[in-house]
Amino acid sequence: MATTTTEQLGGYGQSVKRKEDPRFLRGKGTYIDDIKLPGMLYMDIVRSPFAHAKITNITTQPALDIPGVLAVITGKDLDAAGLAWMPTLMSDRQMVLPVDTVMYQMQEVAAVIADSRYAAADGAAAVEVDYEPLEVVVDPFKALQDDAPILRPDREIKSNRIFHWEAGDSAATDKAFAEADVVVEQDMYIPRIHVASIETCGCIAQVDEVSGKLTVWMTTQAPHAIRTVFSLVSGIPETKIRVISPDIGGGFGGKVPVYPGYVIAVVAALTTGKPVKWIEDRSENLQADSFARDYHMKARLAATQDGTIKALDVVTIADHGAFDAAANPSKFPAGLFSIATGSYDLETAHVEVDGVYTNKPPGGVAYRCSFRVTEAVHMIERMVDILADEIGADAAELRFKNFIQPDQFPYKSPTGWEYDSGNYPAALQKALDQIGYQDLLREQQEKRERGELMGIGISTFTEIVGAGPSNTFDILGIKMFDSAEIRIHPTGSAIVRIGVQTQGQGHETTFAQIVADELGLPVDNIIVEHGDTDTAPYGLGTYASRSTPTAGAATAMAARKIRAKAKELAAHLLEVSADDLEWVDHKFQVKGSPGSSKSMAEIAFAAYTNHPQGMEAGLEAVSYYDPPNLTFPFGAYICVVDIDRGTGMVKIRRFLAIDDCGTVINPMIVEGQIHGGLAMGMAPALLEEISYDEHGNIRGGTFMDYLLPTAMETPAWETGRTVTPSPHHPFGAKGVGESATVGAPPAIVNAVVDALSHLGVRHIDIPITPWKVYKILEEHGAAE
Amino acid sequence: MRFSGTERIPATREQVWAFLTDPNAVAQCVPDVESLEVVDPTRFKAQVRAGIGPVRGKFGFDVAWQELTQPSRARMTAQGKTGGSAVTVDSAMDLSAASPGETDLAWSADVVVHGMIASVGARLLDGFAKKQTEQFFGCIRQKLTG
């Protein structure tokens, strides 16, 4: 029998073309707004122009007078049903609709239900709301002052401090700093940014008038968790709630939270008895949905004179907006920020974060990052460069000197993480060689002598993804395992259902490839389904690069369960003992007798037509995988910039990303993920920021002011790879979706600062806009 | 935002005062006023259709005189709102005789905007305010000169 190769099957390491692309490229995807149900009503939302105000009156009649408008729902209506507030994932609560006070600009104030989207919008414009403005707090530092108004009087603790969180060893860190030869310190601000996914948020809620079953099609990254929370809040049993997350046009963490619009649409469907659709417009999405970052950090590094880093200390004020609706695992109010020691072998560290309420929409979305890892990586990668500047060391040499060495894994970090694997020197060396670091240093020197500004920036980041082990990771008590269910059909094709949900990551392809390789079935014969709570096994969803580390592992484990049964079937078919069989070239063959073998297709047919007495028919398995540890992808990025002294414009001339995400399932998809991640890393470094004026007005509420990168701004990325498999993952994968978003910003900032370092510049907060650079050049007499 | 300026008007202080403090007279000079309702001698309501860049709407303004020191000083507050936007204005006028037939009007306005008009229209607000102000005083000059 001919050998079946991984390449033929489309297994691990094969650049199989994405199975989902034909429908997307033809415009045949099914997004929420593509779904139209008979008799469907439409909802639009009245939003607050004020950042903080009392609602003194709401007049709904002018809206109800508009033809087609059927109902207006206010906070008082919801309050009567006990639904004016909802729980957040972080043990806080959030207004669905306010009863008497608005907490941020664009907050939902009322909802209009109508028989067309136009009538709903007209109705929303006609609702008259009287406000009495209250003192606005936009600065988290001011929010912590004694004379600041208490923004959340509904809470028992009368303070704007939401939480105080620490990790590491405070006393040992203080001691290390007291004894250090060199201490560098830097304040850094990582501004508020928005995921700005192409598809905005929305839903359709439908109640079956016979069974009473509620079906919600919604833009969510975690349909099962949503179903459970809906059930707990409403008292409706989970059997009567179905959440379907169809094609999703980008999530990036922004579709993890439960937004008030979803809840109001469900209430509207329950009260009208008709399906109700709600789709945000772009401004609502950009101005009101949860935000990411907004970390004010004060960081210090202690080191010896020769550049051995001893200790790290970081004090952070985190602006969470009006409600702590961050999307972190419940026991991690500051996410995984304690990964802050990065790729470096420090003796000790101490990090602390205080979460603060302000009059802004909720913050804390893990924007393409594993819960505050972006902030941590930005900080440590900047601090290493600042130390290099302080002691006159080369940024690459200083990193080599302080890296955790390959033989130190598994490595226990000073803040308590156990890094599973890594080879940081190899990745950096590869990057330096590939980009020609020494040549670039020479070129920079020559250019500097001519007065030209060129910078080289390095980022050697470590990620922490794949949340997570059930002993520490849960969301409202639900452990963060994930799942897969595989059913092999008699003719050797398969359906795979997974507990995670794709928003563009390519799961329909990569999860099929796992099964293809593990079971020896062609990838074309395998379909992957996800996102429907009535059919998919329970899972916690896709975010924080957790799909492959958790559900990917579950898929491999389920496939291996099937393979175990298949072995018994093969033994029956070949009339030998199962002990005499081995899995070779994706089929079972009799040891020492390559001619006697059975393929999975043959075995699958037998499972339904010729299974032995005493064995159950069929060939399927389910696995719920509880990862023993997180995974730690890493990379070495190098950015080369040129700066225009006349305009302050930063041009990324080259950007090389060497990534290590362990075993690669599909190199093409990994490269695509890295390209997308790099663009989303470059954007906050150079372009994106959401800020507020003193009245709490959002600045950057449209794409005219909130600058997303287009093809014009995006450079040609160079990529490369090292492979250090995860020792605890079934096939060694680590996750890759967010590495580039996390790793790219400090490489870019380090390059810009390097270009200006001879002028005495040591740090620039992102986004590094031309205006910011030009002002620095002017201050140093270097502008043209 | 604070706007201020001084205008020389070819009329006596009394004439200027009488014009500016008569809602029906002054409304003729406020651009895009659709309707006016005088509530009492110190308060009136106005419907103004305004468009700043992509933000357009009919603003309902509640206007009140806070200070009337005839014929030299007046202070007025106005609260306006439309769906998604709100604006508050605190404006003062000082009248002084420049010459027997001319009056200097020194005016200032503190304007606070909220909502879409601020988040979307912010970059156009200065130009919008300048244009409206020029139209307003141009109209007053014309009315009082005529």
Side-chain angles (χ1 to χ4, degrees):
Chain A
M1 183 181 282
T3 299
T4 306
T5 65
T6 294
E7 193 175 348
Q8 288 167 335
L9 294 170
Y12 294 132
Q14 303 305 306
S15 288
V16 174
K17 283 190 178 169
R18 299 200 337 160
K19 286 163 161 279
E20 43 272 86
D21 281 352
R23 72 174 186 274
F24 293 147
L25 294 173
R26 293 183 174 103
K28 299 292 183 190
T30 304
Y31 299 91
I32 301 283
D33 208 16
D34 294 319
I35 299 168
K36 293 175 178 64
L37 302 179
M40 189 167 73
L41 304 178
Y42 297 80
M43 183 174 95
D44 205 348
I45 291 177
V46 180
R47 293 176 183 274
S48 171
F50 291 96
H52 196 199
K54 281 264 173 230
I55 297 171
T56 54
N57 187 47
I58 300 179
T59 308
T60 58
Q61 196 55 48
L64 292 165
D65 289 344
I66 290 172
V69 172
L70 303 169
V72 180
I73 300 171
T74 66
K76 288 198 169 138
D77 299 330
L78 293 185
D79 197 36
L83 288 170
W85 292 80
M86 62 180 176
T88 73
L89 300 181
M90 304 311 296
S91 306
D92 195 0
R93 58 186 204 144
Q94 177 177 4
M95 292 176 194
V96 178
L97 285 174
V99 177
D100 56 12
T101 308
V102 287
M103 296 296 293
Y104 54 86
Q105 189 179 76
M106 290 295 276
Q107 186 182 342
E108 299 82 355
V109 173
V112 176
I113 315 298
D115 63 8
S116 75
R117 191 158 186 190
Y118 299 97
D122 286 346
V127 173
E128 292 174 7
V129 187
D130 295 326
Y131 299 96
E132 194 178 293
L134 297 170
E135 185 179 346
V136 175
V137 182
V138 289
D139 180 341
F141 292 94
K142 286 188 179 158
L144 290 176
Q145 289 172 359
D146 291 341
D147 58 351
I150 299 298
L151 298 180
R152 291 286 306 280
D154 60 292
R155 285 173 87 233
E156 213 169 286
I157 301 164
K158 303 301 176 204
S159 164
N160 292 329
R161 190 187 310 274
I162 308 168
F163 62 81
H164 174 80
W165 171 90
E166 297 184 25
D169 187 332
S170 174
T173 303
D174 286 347
K175 185 164 177 290
F177 274 91
E179 293 169 355
D181 300 342
V182 182
V183 173
V184 287
E185 179 177 325
Q186 183 64 51
D187 288 347
M188 276 177 225
Y189 176 52
I190 308 292
R192 194 167 259 245
I193 56 173
H194 195 279
V195 302
S197 51
I198 291 176
E199 182 200 31
T200 61
C201 292
C203 69
I204 301 168
Q206 180 198 38
V207 181
D208 185 284
E209 59 185 339
V210 176
S211 66
K213 184 168 178 170
L214 169 68
T215 301
V216 188
W217 290 261
M218 67 188 284
T219 48
T220 178
Q221 296 177 231
H224 280 101
I226 296 289
R227 184 186 71 188
T228 302
V229 174
F230 262 23
S231 175
L232 291 172
V233 172
S234 66
I236 302 170
E238 281 189 273
T239 46
K240 293 213 166 184
I241 303 173
R242 180 182 185 186
V243 178
I244 302 172
S245 182
D247 286 332
I248 299 292
F252 311 114
K255 287 172 182 165
V256 175
V258 175
Y259 295 115
Y262 299 135
V263 181
I264 310 167
V266 169
V267 171
L270 287 166
T271 52
T272 61
K274 293 192 171 171
V276 175
K277 179 188 271 191
W278 166 64
I279 302 286
E280 287 176 331
D281 68 24
R282 178 57 64 190
S283 295
E284 292 177 295
N285 179 263
L286 192 56
Q287 297 181 29
D289 285 0
S290 295
F291 289 84
R293 321 288 191 248
D294 220 345
Y295 257 34
H296 300 261
M297 299 181 284
K298 182 182 281 296
R300 292 189 302 151
L301 273 188
T304 61
Q305 193 58 51
D306 71 350
T308 302
I309 306 170
K310 294 291 199 182
L312 167 73
D313 175 61
V314 195
V315 178
T316 301
I317 297 295
D319 187 338
H320 279 250
F323 309 106
D324 190 12
N328 292 324
S330 295
K331 292 191 186 74
F332 296 86
L336 310 184
F337 187 68
S338 56
I339 193 69
T341 54
S343 309
Y344 311 104
D345 184 15
L346 274 60
E347 284 176 6
T348 184
H350 183 246
V351 296
E352 58 180 80
V353 179
D354 283 281
V356 181
Y357 288 124
T358 58
N359 288 119
K360 297 176 193 167
V365 157
Y367 175 174
R368 205 165 179 167
C369 108
S370 188
F371 318 121
R372 303 298 189 185
V373 177
T374 314
E375 291 91 326
V377 164
H378 197 96
M379 181 278 306
I380 188 67
E381 290 303 312
R382 280 269 53 238
M383 290 308 289
V384 170
D385 263 39
I386 287 168
L387 177 64
D389 187 61
E390 176 73 19
I391 63 173
D394 175 79
E397 287 307 316
L398 190 64
R399 284 175 166 81
F400 279 121
K401 188 181 184 71
N402 288 286
F403 276 148
I404 300 160
Q405 295 302 310
D407 61 3
Q408 287 179 270
F409 293 93
Y411 170 82
K412 188 91 173 170
S413 88
T415 53
W417 299 109
E418 186 175 294
Y419 293 18
D420 67 345
S421 59
N423 190 342
Y424 308 140
L428 179 55
Q429 193 58 54
K430 183 166 184 170
L432 295 173
D433 293 344
Q434 196 165 323
I435 205 156
Y437 185 62
Q438 294 303 328
D439 290 342
L440 287 170
L441 287 175
R442 272 192 294 280
E443 182 192 346
Q444 183 187 35
Q445 193 54 42
E446 288 164 16
K447 288 202 156 152
R448 220 167 246 187
E449 282 161 16
R450 292 202 299 270
E452 293 173 37
L453 300 174
M454 167 190 166
I456 308 155
I458 300 173
S459 161
T460 45
F461 63 94
T462 288
E463 268 263 78
I464 174 168
V465 307
S470 61
N471 56 359
T472 40
F473 284 85
D474 67 80
I475 289 179
L476 297 175
I478 308 164
K479 303 296 188 184
M480 293 184 74
F481 57 81
D482 226 292
S483 63
E485 174 193 293
I486 305 170
R487 195 174 297 167
I488 312 292
H489 304 317
T491 52
S493 57
I495 181 165
V496 184
R497 290 184 168 127
I498 51 179
V500 293
Q501 195 283 339
T502 178
Q503 309 112 38
Q505 292 88 344
H507 290 173
E508 290 168 36
T509 310
T510 52
F511 281 71
Q513 288 185 257
I514 296 169
V515 175
D517 205 286
E518 295 285 346
L519 292 182
L521 294 172
V523 71
D524 288 345
N525 291 7
I526 301 162
I527 60 165
V528 176
E529 286 187 359
H530 52 83
D532 183 340
T533 57
D534 264 11
T535 56
Y538 202 100
L540 272 288
T542 291
Y543 40 86
S545 284
R546 68 183 296 278
S547 291
T548 304
T550 60
T555 303
M557 298 308 275
R560 289 171 194 181
K561 285 184 189 177
I562 286 174
R563 207 160 70 194
K565 181 174 180 182
K567 191 175 188 181
E568 300 294 331
L569 281 159
H572 166 68
L573 295 175
L574 292 163
E575 297 179 342
V576 295
S577 160
D579 292 342
D580 293 330
L581 294 176
E582 56 186 352
W583 180 252
V584 179
D585 294 335
H586 303 96
K587 60 185 184 299
F588 281 112
Q589 70 179 37
V590 179
K591 287 176 186 167
S593 179
S596 294
S597 67
K598 288 292 171 189
S599 70
M600 192 57 72
E602 292 170 301
I603 295 166
F605 197 69
Y608 297 89
T609 61
N610 181 22
H611 59 287
Q613 288 296 310
M615 181 188 279
E616 285 184 23
L619 197 55
E620 58 186 74
V622 180
S623 171
Y624 281 74
Y625 186 80
D626 181 2
N629 190 5
L630 295 135
T631 60
F632 296 77
F634 59 94
Y637 290 1
I638 301 180
C639 175
V640 183
V641 300
D642 297 300
I643 297 176
D644 187 323
R645 286 172 51 193
T647 62
M649 191 78 183
V650 173
K651 181 178 166 51
I652 296 177
R653 188 206 310 175
R654 290 183 71 187
F655 194 109
L656 170 65
I658 301 295
D659 273 281
D660 192 319
C661 60
T663 302
V664 172
I665 303 170
N666 184 321
M668 181 190 71
I669 287 181
V670 165
E671 195 175 353
Q673 289 269 308
I674 290 167
H675 276 230
L678 289 170
M680 293 181 97
M682 181 265 280
L686 297 179
L687 305 168
E688 295 175 0
E689 177 176 22
I690 297 275
S691 64
Y692 291 81
D693 71 12
E694 61 188 310
H695 308 294
N697 288 309
I698 188 168
R699 290 188 287 216
T702 72
F703 286 160
M704 196 163 59
D705 296 297
Y706 189 71
L707 298 178
L708 297 181
T710 68
M712 291 295 288
E713 289 78 27
T714 306
W717 310 111
E718 301 167 56
T719 58
R721 187 183 312 137
T722 61
V723 177
T724 311
S726 167
H728 63 76
H729 186 274
F731 55 92
K734 295 185 171 181
V736 74
E738 59 195 46
S739 287
T741 316
V742 169
I748 296 168
V749 179
N750 286 346
V752 175
V753 172
D754 181 55
L756 304 171
S757 62
H758 61 294
L759 303 174
V761 175
R762 188 173 262 192
H763 176 72
I764 307 175
D765 274 336
I766 58 173
I768 301 180
T769 58
W771 171 239
K772 214 180 255 185
V773 175
Y774 189 78
K775 276 197 297 182
I776 291 168
L777 293 173
E778 263 196 333
E779 279 165 27
H780 293 86
E784 271 180 353
Chain B
M1 281 173 298
R2 188 178 172 82
F3 303 102
S4 63
T6 303
E7 307 291 331
R8 180 156 293 182
I9 297 167
T12 65
R13 205 150 61 139
E14 286 68 21
Q15 284 171 316
V16 176
W17 178 267
F19 185 89
L20 288 175
T21 54
D22 175 357
N24 288 306
V26 82
Q28 298 168 33
C29 285
V30 178
D32 304 318
V33 170
E34 290 200 336
S35 67
L36 185 78
E37 178 197 342
V38 179
V39 181
D40 65 36
T42 60
R43 291 194 299 138
F44 57 94
K45 291 175 183 289
Q47 293 284 330
V48 179
R49 180 164 289 281
I52 302 174
V55 187
R56 287 171 191 280
K58 193 188 283 184
F59 278 81
F61 272 98
D62 284 322
V63 186
W65 289 111
Q66 303 293 345
E67 186 187 335
L68 284 167
T69 310
Q70 192 173 358
S72 58
R73 180 174 169 81
R75 199 179 128 242
M76 183 181 88
T77 56
Q79 272 98 36
K81 64 175 183 184
T82 184
S85 297
V87 58
T88 62
V89 182
D90 190 335
S91 177
M93 297 184 300
D94 285 292
L95 299 179
S96 57
S99 70
E102 288 182 313
T103 302
D104 279 343
L105 164 61
W107 62 273
S108 66
D110 284 302
V111 180
V112 178
V113 291
H114 301 270
M116 290 292 269
I117 194 174
S119 59
V120 178
R123 64 168 71 205
L124 305 166
L125 266 180
D126 271 350
F128 176 79
K130 186 166 181 283
K131 187 172 144 232
Q132 298 290 93
T133 309
E134 280 170 5
Q135 273 186 25
F136 178 66
F137 287 108
C139 170
I140 291 171
R141 259 195 308 274
Q142 193 192 4
K143 297 272 181 198
L144 287 168
T145 309

